[in-house]
Structures are given as C-alpha cells and as structure tokens.
Amino acid sequence: MNSSRNFCTQVNGILRKNLIEQKRDTCKTIWLFFFPMFLLLAMSLVQTFISHELNQGYSHILLHPKKWPALLYIPAMPDRAVETKSSRFVGLAPESCMNTGSCPVTLLLTGDNKSFGLSLAQKMFPSTVSLNSSQVLYSLANMVLGSETGVQRELRCVRGLYLWMNSSSEVNDELFKGYHQGNLEGKINEFVAARSINLVSNAYIRSLKGESTKLLLGSLKGMTNRNSNPCREISSAFGTLIFDWAIMQLFNVVVTSLVREKQLKKRMIMKMQQLSDNAYWVSSYAYFLMLSVIYVVCLAVFGAVVGIGFFTLNDIKIQVLFYFVSINLQISLGFLMAHFVANVKVATGIWTTIMELYPGFSLYRGLYEFAQYALVGRRIGTQGIQWKDLSNTENGIRTVLVFTLVEWLIILFVAYYIDKQASPKNNVKKKILSILKRIFPNPLPLPRNTVKKRILLLMLNICKNSSPKTQESSTVSIEMKNHDVSKEREKVDKWLLERGSTYVVVCDHLKIELLGKPEKIVVRGLSLAISKGECFGVLGPNAAGKTSIISMMTGITTPTSGKAFIEGLEIESNTKEIYTRMGYCPQKNLLWETLTGREHLLFYGRLRNLKGSYLTVAMKNSLERVKLIYSGAGDKMIHKYSEVEKRRLSIAISLLGDPKVVYMDEPTVGLDPISRTNLWSGVLKHAKQDRTVILTTNSAEEADFLCDRIAILVNRSLQCIGKPQELKAKYKESFIFSITAPLHYGKEVEELVRQLSPSACKIFQISETQKFELPKKEVKIAAVIQAMLSAKSKFAIQAWALTRPSLQDILTKVASNNIADDIFL
C-alpha cells in the first residue's frame, strides 16, 4: 500500500514539474501550437481564393439549354455496371462478361413494398415489340413513352437486369460509385437512370387505368447549372505531407526532453532522490501523451473551424482512433531513440530532422487515405471515410491501424526493456566485459613504455629502463609506505569481518578501469571507513578522480572491482533502500531554468514521498537553512539566480528529507572567495550537524575549514589520510619559503635559496612566484631575514615569506612527489 502511495506521489510530482516547465516556456509552446495552425489557416485561405477564382472562371448559366432525345440511354458495353472491388452489390454480373460482350443493362429498384415494386418493373417495358420501318425512332420512343426525336442511331437489342435495393440512399451510393470520380479506382460503372422516373410513372398508371393509358415525355433539357473545376480541395490534394510534418513535430519534443534529462544527469539526480524507474516512465509517458492529445485536438478542431475537408468530411471516430494510436507509436519511438542519442545537439540535429522530413509510413499512409476520401467526398458531395469503409481492403486504413497498434506495443516494450537493462544496477558493460574475457582468455600484452614516458622517468629520476612489472611494483611500494593509508585499509578489513555499526560509509578496494589501449585507471584501490557524524573531505587537484569516487559511492557508476557500503548495505544490490538515506549535491547545478527555488524543493520533496504539511514545512526549513527565504529569492525562477544562490539551492535539495549521508561534489566550485567563505560559515557548517558528509574539493582551505578528516587524492590513488592537524604535523620539520622576483633573476634566486638551505627543494612555480621546501634544521630565521635584506640591494625582490607548511603546501608537495604515478596508468 505504501509503495503504491509513493508511486502516485512521485508521478504527481513529475507531472506538476513538467506542466509548470511547459507553461513557462512560452516561446516554444507558441511555436509548437500556433505555427501548424497558421499553416492550416493559410491553406484554408488559399483554398477559398482558388475556389472563388475557379467559380468565377468556369461557372455559366445555360440560357438556351439543348434538347435531349426522349429515349432511354443505354450504357455502352465497357461502361456497364458489373461487380468490382468498389461495388460488391450481390446480383451484378461478373466482370468477366466484358470479355464476351454479354454484360446486361442493370436497373436499380427500391421502395417500401418489394413485391409491388417488382410487379411494376415488369410493366415498364412492353412485352411485345412492333417496329414501323418507316418510323423506327418514333416506334422506339413510343416503347419508352417518349415523343419522336430526330436522332439517328444504330438499333440493337440488349439484355436487362433488375436489382432490388433496400433504400434510395443505397441507390444513390451505387450511382455515385459508378461515376469515374466517385471511386478510388477511377472506373466507370453505369446503371440505367435517365428516363427511369417516366417509366415507373407510366407503369403505375397502367396498373391502375389499363394498358391503353400513357403519359408521354416530350424531351429532356439541360437545367441551369454551375460548372466548376472538380479539384478544389487543396488541403486533401496537397496537405498530407504538411499534416504529417505537423504531427511529427511532437517526436522532436519527446526525444529532446528525454535526452536533455539524461545528458544533464537530471534523471540520475531524481533517481537518487528515490524516484523509481516505473514512476518516471509512467509520468513522462502520461505527460507526452497529454501534450500530444491536446496538440492534435487543437489542430483538428482548428482545421475543422476553418473548413478544411480533411477534418470535416472523414468520420471523427476513425480519426480519433488513428491519431491516438499514431501519437502513442510516436512517443514509444521517442523513448527508444532517446536511449541511443548521447546529447541534445544530436537529438535536435540531423537525426530528428531526417525523421521529420522523411514521413513515417504508417502515419503518412493513414493521412493519405483520409485525404483521398475527403477529396472524393468533396467532388461527389458525400462524406469521406466512414466505419463501413474499414472493411474495404483496398483503402488500407484497417491495415494501417493494425500495424500501427502492433508496432506501438512492440516498440514500447523494447524501449522499456532497454532502459531497464541500461541502468547501473544491471551493469551491462560489466556483463559484456565478462563475455569478452571468456572469448579472449589470454589477450596479447600491450606495449606501455613509450618514448614520452621514458623521457619523463629520466627527468624525475624515478627509475631507469623500467619494465611494466617493475613500474607496478614501484607504485605499490609507494602506497604501502604510507602508514595512514595502510591503517585505513586495516580498518576496512576489520569492519568487513565484524560488520559493526561504527562506520556509516565503507569503501572496499574500489577501482575503475576504462577500456582502451592501454587500459586507463580512473580510481585505483580506494579503501575508506567513515564514521557517523563525520565530515570527510576528499582533497585533490583537478582530474585526480574525486568525482569518480562520488559516482561510485552514490551508485551512478559501477566500479570495475570492489564494493561500497552505506549503513551496512551494499550499494549495488540495495540501491533503492540506500537512496532513502542519502542526499547528493552535484558539482554542476542540475536545475530547471523555468522553475522557482520553492518549486524545486516541492518537486524533490514529492519524490521523497513528503506530502501535505510535512512537505510545506520541509520546504520552508530548507529555504531558511540556505538563506533563500528572504527578499523573495525562493519565488524567483532559476535563470534569475546568481551562482551563489544556485549553489545554495543545490545544497538545500541535498539536505531535503533529513538524509543520514550527504555527498557534496565541490559545493563551492566557481564561486568568488567572499561568496565561498560565506557559504562555508552560513550553510555548510550547519549541514554537518547530525549527519555524515562526504565532501570533495580542490581547495585545501575549504577542506581545512570544514572537514574532520581529509584524504588527499593524487593521480587517482589515495596518498595520505588523517585529520588536518595530523597532516600538517607530518611536515612540521620544514619551512616553506616563497619569493617573487622577475624571471630574468632566476639564477640569483636559486643561489640565494641555496645559501639559505643547501637541501632546499623547489615545489611550486607560477610565473614569477616560486616556493621552496627548506629543512627546519638548516634554517635560522634571523639569517634568512639578513640574507633577504642584503639580496634586495642586489636585485628586485617584489615579495618573500617564510611560513610553516599549510594544507595547500602539503597538497602541492604530495602532488609533485607523485606525478610519476600517472606514467603507470
């Protein structure tokens, strides 16, 4: 029951967030909805103009209509009504009679009384024929109750066929289908219709008054009419591709939205805030479906309002069914394609452009059928496609619906399966590696000693002519000599045996390797044991592997080897449960630009299943904790935030719901010194209370100010670990001498330092500033002061200092001593 409530709360949160974001993205919303409507309006205006011009040019009144002979018109043999694909009325002659010339002339009969109607049909023509050779036409006209005419024709006898229809609408339908523009095949299929009313009238009179009673028909004349160009339905004739493109716009919206959340790792952040995959799928799919339905409904309604026959002539129920299945297929295909697209530029670039310009076969075929039926309906004055037309296998609409429905379900299942398999928990890459190792159990060794590496080795005087084996053993020996790192490993090994509650976060030999030639080690053999309530800092230069460690400890990245635990639970196998106890502040601000700070906290609170008053209180407390409650900062949209406010909000999100363990990946990155100091004292100091905090930084000052223990990471391996005071005590036997002088006095500076301390070692240089480590036993402070006063009279010295080693100096020294470790990766 609780899981279903959590699911509904998370779906509600994501739907709210998506709708707010869509509402505030005004430009894209206007473009998405109004540009296709503008095309429809333009098409309607063009159609109205063309129709008006055609009527002006082609319509005319027949002032002197021509007389037609009062004879019964018999269709020629190739045009007589037979059974075809578009006319399957029972009783028609088979189409094969055309080959033998034996097709009968068909008359269609209908009425309320079938028996009486058939009896009248027998009296429409006389049973005996007597021709006067001198007045043949008069005799023929008299047979069909017409007056004499002057038309000269060849005389032949034909066989007649009576067919009974259930209603007059069926008669009209068959007559229209016989017109060459009344069917999709473009065939002529004529019945006898002219003069039939006169024949029926005379048959009825004779049945009442006797055979001698006749009602003669003098002649037929053309009625006053308006002739026009039959092809006036511009939208149906040319709009198929435009409608297809308009609907395919939604495909780009789906793919871009999904890829952006994946690329910016927003989905991973939401997942770390306890969002389940099923809730994400259901909410995202429901949002895209809602957006697509509103879009298509607006498009269809607007098209019907402006009078486009594409929407008005075809049956609305068939259109609803077709559009519903088509947009579901489009959304499913968007989910599938988003998995294979790496970034938004690709999603909005060539691939979606191709997908939009190259119409989907099922969508285009369905729209084509709608267009053709609307075009025919406009020409002959009937409706477009109806439900009964689904049984006609020639139009293909039923096949399109079936294939679209099946394709939708298959693609939806495949996209969901691939998405589940691609999650870090399933570790697809690891499975592939295991398969490759089985296929290639003994791969050939890769050459690793390049010329560049050998030169660097000689410059650092580390080793000469070393082999890969000796390099690896050298690295191991450096690590093993570090007593505090070895002691940390012993703590981890002991915890693994006892599994006590002493440590909240434990890392056991975590390692990440990337495939390549040679393989690149991102993190090597990391072992940590972090106590409850401890603020633990990972200090190191850029590209040292700090973010990779956080990624492994939060479950974002699966380690190549080793395990990580939070409160005794292994991360890889207990991800969902661990995410309920964990908060995460990423290195980059993963925020939505059109949402406010308050809306961010409400959204992430719902993901953590906070509801009602609890959610409101948690949101207000979070804003107050990071000082965003004042001056309306919580109600501003993110694009109006400063960088400091964005970092404050990211920290507030990581602390929402009172997690037991919080990871902060360089929380003050990109901030100026004053803002960084304010954030340390105003926010991060309070964030440490009653929880375990793991913080990464490249600022030794930040680590010294905030952290209870610090691990220095250089070249993707742990070099030393301990409290800030302990690390400083390791280097208490030396001074740090700093001097700033013009570069062309380089030799003078080196001679001066050698005079102060023969064993001095340069550890740092940027432009004109140099730092040297001086053994304390070789240095006398008075002698240094005297030497500097004397040196100032010989060359320009801008500044100098003699200090005890700071944490930053220790980081610099450790990094410089371990540069060579990168050679062995």
Side-chain angles (χ1 to χ4, degrees), residues 17-27 29 287 594:
K17 185 267 295 180
N18 289 338
L19 291 175
I20 293 174
E21 190 178 12
Q22 185 69 44
K23 176 184 176 182
R24 294 195 178 140
D25 202 348
T26 310
C27 295
T29 303
Y287 166 70
T594 54

Side-chain angles (χ1 to χ4, degrees), residues 167-224:
S167 65
S168 59
S169 61
E170 290 187 6
V171 175
N172 291 332
D173 188 50
E174 290 297 327
L175 291 177
F176 283 129
K177 287 181 179 178
Y179 181 50
H180 73 92
Q181 292 183 339
N183 59 82
L184 297 179
E185 302 170 25
K187 293 183 178 180
I188 299 176
N189 212 41
E190 292 185 348
F191 300 87
V192 174
R195 288 290 313 279
S196 58
I197 297 178
N198 177 250
L199 293 175
V200 173
S201 300
N202 277 279
Y204 181 69
I205 291 174
R206 283 199 295 268
S207 67
L208 296 177
K209 301 294 184 178
E211 294 294 333
S212 60
T213 306
K214 297 179 181 180
L215 182 62
L216 296 179
L217 178 65
S219 64
L220 300 175
K221 289 184 178 180
M223 298 296 291
T224 300

Side-chain angles (χ1 to χ4, degrees), residues 636-793:
K636 291 193 304 183
M637 285 187 282
I638 298 303
H639 67 83
K640 297 180 180 179
Y641 271 33
S642 65
E643 286 300 318
V644 178
E645 291 175 323
K646 290 180 180 179
R647 293 311 291 168
R648 288 177 182 270
L649 181 59
S650 296
I651 294 171
I653 292 172
S654 68
L655 301 176
L656 190 65
D658 195 23
K660 302 301 179 183
V661 179
V662 178
Y663 296 94
M664 295 187 180
D665 191 3
E666 301 193 23
T668 60
V669 64
L671 301 184
D672 60 89
I674 297 177
S675 299
R676 186 186 302 122
T677 304
N678 292 335
L679 194 61
W680 290 348
S681 57
V683 178
L684 295 178
K685 275 287 187 181
H686 298 288
K688 296 167 49 179
Q689 298 176 0
D690 301 326
R691 62 173 57 90
T692 301
V693 178
I694 294 92
L695 179 145
T696 67
T697 180
N698 55 13
S699 169
E701 184 182 4
E702 181 176 57
D704 194 7
F705 186 86
L706 295 173
C707 299
D708 301 318
R709 282 202 308 154
I710 299 172
I712 295 181
L713 195 72
V714 178
N715 292 332
R716 294 162 288 278
S717 63
L718 191 62
Q719 302 300 328
C720 56
I721 184 171
K723 296 180 180 181
Q725 297 82 0
E726 295 174 348
L727 295 177
K728 295 175 184 177
K730 281 188 175 184
Y731 299 91
K732 65 181 179 180
E733 300 300 327
S734 62
F735 285 113
I736 301 299
F737 177 71
S738 304
I739 183 171
T740 302
L743 293 176
H744 58 273
Y745 290 115
K747 291 183 178 180
E748 288 81 354
V749 171
E750 290 184 3
E751 291 178 0
L752 174 63
V753 172
R754 296 300 177 192
Q755 292 176 4
L756 298 176
S757 173
S759 303
C761 177
K762 183 191 291 187
I763 60 174
F764 178 79
Q765 178 175 1
I766 292 181
S767 185
E768 298 179 346
T769 301
Q770 303 180 59
K771 283 189 176 184
F772 299 86
E773 182 184 6
L774 310 181
K776 185 179 291 187
K777 61 183 180 180
E778 296 181 359
V779 177
K780 293 182 179 181
I781 297 178
V784 173
I785 296 174
Q786 186 65 36
M788 295 307 300
L789 292 174
S790 175
K792 281 186 176 182
S793 62

Side-chain angles (χ1 to χ4, degrees), residues 390-451:
L390 293 179
S391 60
N392 186 358
T393 57
E394 289 303 309
N395 58 35
I397 191 66
R398 182 173 64 178
T399 305
V400 168
L401 286 172
V402 172
F403 272 88
T404 305
L405 178 62
V406 173
E407 191 177 0
W408 163 33
L409 297 176
I410 292 177
I411 290 180
L412 181 63
F413 172 77
V414 172
Y416 181 78
Y417 177 79
I418 291 178
D419 184 77
K420 293 288 288 185
Q421 291 299 316
S423 63
K425 182 178 178 180
N426 288 284
N427 200 359
V428 176
K429 294 182 179 180
K430 194 171 182 179
K431 294 179 180 178
I432 296 175
L433 284 174
S434 63
I435 294 174
L436 292 176
K437 288 181 179 180
R438 293 178 184 176
I439 299 175
F440 306 103
N442 297 312
L444 294 176
L446 298 174
R448 308 186 68 170
N449 282 338
T450 61
V451 175

Side-chain angles (χ1 to χ4, degrees), residues 26-94:
T26 310
C27 295
K28 288 185 179 179
T29 303
I30 292 175
W31 173 265
L32 179 65
F33 279 86
F34 288 96
F35 184 71
M37 292 183 184
F38 171 76
L39 292 180
L40 292 180
L41 180 60
M43 188 180 298
S44 176
L45 294 176
V46 170
Q47 178 175 314
T48 303
F49 174 77
I50 292 178
S51 299
H52 179 266
E53 291 298 318
L54 290 176
N55 285 333
Q56 290 283 341
Y58 287 94
S59 59
H60 62 277
I61 299 176
L62 298 177
L63 299 178
H64 304 286
K66 181 180 179 180
K67 290 185 177 181
W68 295 347
L71 295 175
L72 187 64
Y73 289 92
I74 305 299
M77 180 61 66
D79 301 331
R80 292 178 186 175
V82 293
E83 184 177 351
T84 63
K85 295 177 180 179
S86 59
S87 181
R88 296 183 177 275
F89 184 73
V90 179
L92 287 175

